[in-house]
Amino acid sequence: MKIFLNRRLPEIGMKLLADNNIQLIQPDKNELSYQEWLYYCQQADGIINVGKNKFDRYFFEQCPQIKAISLFSVGYNHVDIQAATARKIAIGNTPNVLSKATSDTAFLLMQSVARRASFNYDRVRKGNWELILDPMANLGQELYGKTVGIYGLGRIGYEFAKKCKYAFDMNIIYHNRSRNEAAEKELGAIFVPFEQLIKDADILSVHANYTNNQKELFNASIFKQMKSNSIFINTARGEFHNEEDLYTAVNEQLIWGVGLDVTNPEPMLPTSKLLNLPTVCVLPHIGSATIEARNGMAQLAAENIIAFVRGDKMPYLVNNDIYTL
Ligand code: DGY
């Protein structure tokens, strides 16, 4: 069985694959055109995929021999799960191992925006120390005792909520498909309707799995209802928010600021007006980019494909339905 790996994994994953005699197809360059990528996929029985390549109906028609896709990500919004399941193609992902790193990133963004840190860092880089120590200049806001609203209280949301609670004694409110009893018990988290989440949150942080029916859910009509001191954080998927509307909301001081690790479009254009605002921090989708998290992801991605090659169920299978069809 041949497995197409589009980018080299951290060594722990490569070693696991080699130790299990997984026969890899590896291109000699990292950046492939869509046609090149498709060509490699057509040579394989299974795939380990790094990045956002789209696995849609067209892909499955072009690669009817593919039987398994092991994603090097926890998110799987780039896969048409229904189409894959209908074809009994196993889809694996990498949950848990990146929850701490991704929630750390949300926490970092929250603080950076509250204290205008990245804007001020940029001033220092440019030698602009104007108004230093002026009593009224460069003022941020403190987070102690504020209310954090979490949209999507799963594994990453829970880790973020813990940091907010234990570092700043924040009140946790959340909106989710289902109740998170552990968070309610441990952190005193309170489940609220979506409308209340956006109205009551001082910090609104998105941690849900993205699906197409949530496209630009966070837009002008939502930002208008948020508090004027509020901060919008997105470390999930850029498609969740409308970036023009975010700019207007911050620029017109409808909300305090924005912290993004994911953008819409991604990559963000360097001309984005958001980048000129003092209460904005934007990172280039580095949520899971720690040595620890990426090693964990490499291990899980390798374990998923090894299980498939052995004829076993992937340990981190997204579409369990393939076994009940
Ligand atoms: C994930 O794992 O989903 C991260 O966003 C990287 O794509």
Side-chain angles (χ1 to χ4, degrees), residues 35-268:
Q35 283 312 324
E36 289 170 327
W37 174 73
L38 202 57
Y39 167 80
Y40 280 110
C41 291
Q42 284 165 340
Q43 318 303 312
D45 306 289
I47 298 171
I48 302 175
N49 185 71
V50 179
K52 298 199 291 186
N53 300 305
K54 254 194 173 6
F55 297 100
D56 52 13
R57 280 173 200 277
Y58 176 77
F59 171 85
F60 294 127
E61 278 159 21
Q62 297 300 308
C63 302
Q65 83 298 344
I66 289 292
K67 286 286 160 277
I69 302 172
S70 169
L71 303 171
F72 187 76
S73 64
V74 67
Y76 46 84
N77 58 304
H78 49 314
V79 183
D80 184 336
I81 295 291
Q82 226 185 350
T85 306
R87 289 172 179 263
K88 294 192 181 248
I89 299 171
I91 308 294
N93 71 342
T94 61
N96 305 319
V97 289
L98 45 63
S99 300
K100 286 196 165 62
T102 307
S103 60
D104 286 350
T105 307
F107 199 68
L108 169 74
L109 287 167
M110 175 175 75
Q111 292 183 83
S112 175
V113 173
R115 299 299 302 273
R116 307 170 186 251
S118 53
F119 177 77
N120 279 310
Y121 172 61
D122 206 38
R123 288 201 317 135
V124 172
R125 287 180 62 223
K126 290 175 181 148
N128 174 5
W129 286 68
E130 215 177 299
L131 294 179
I132 177 140
L133 299 184
D134 180 298
M136 299 298 285
N138 302 319
L139 299 185
Q141 58 165 312
E142 296 187 11
L143 297 165
Y144 299 96
K146 297 255 165 91
T147 296
V148 60
I150 299 185
Y151 181 72
L153 190 54
R155 290 173 289 249
I156 299 173
Y158 197 165
E159 288 296 328
F160 179 66
K162 276 202 281 190
K163 290 181 234 295
C164 292
K165 181 79 191 167
Y166 297 130
F168 294 116
D169 197 20
M170 293 169 89
N171 308 306
I172 318 288
I173 57 175
Y174 74 101
H175 186 75
N176 204 33
R177 272 175 310 183
S178 53
R179 297 284 282 264
N180 189 323
E181 282 171 23
E184 291 185 9
K185 212 163 151 198
E186 184 192 344
L187 309 172
I190 298 173
F191 179 91
V192 294
F194 182 69
E195 298 68 35
Q196 193 181 337
L197 185 86
I198 56 177
K199 285 193 182 118
D200 289 357
D202 296 304
I203 312 299
L204 180 59
S205 193
V206 182
H207 295 284
N209 278 329
Y210 178 76
T211 51
N212 285 337
N213 55 9
Q214 294 163 309
K215 189 168 168 53
E216 301 193 354
L217 171 66
F218 296 94
N219 56 37
S221 72
I222 301 293
F223 302 137
K224 268 186 212 143
Q225 298 174 61
M226 289 171 64
K227 291 182 173 178
S228 57
N229 71 309
S230 66
I231 295 174
F232 177 80
I233 304 289
N234 189 359
T235 51
R237 285 292 179 265
E239 289 90 335
F240 267 119
H241 66 253
N242 178 302
E243 227 142 276
E244 265 302 307
D245 291 355
L246 262 180
Y247 169 75
T248 307
V250 182
N251 194 43
E252 294 182 1
Q253 297 178 3
L254 302 177
I255 67 175
W256 169 278
V258 175
L260 302 176
D261 184 46
V262 289
T263 61
N264 184 16
E266 193 167 297
M268 178 183 256

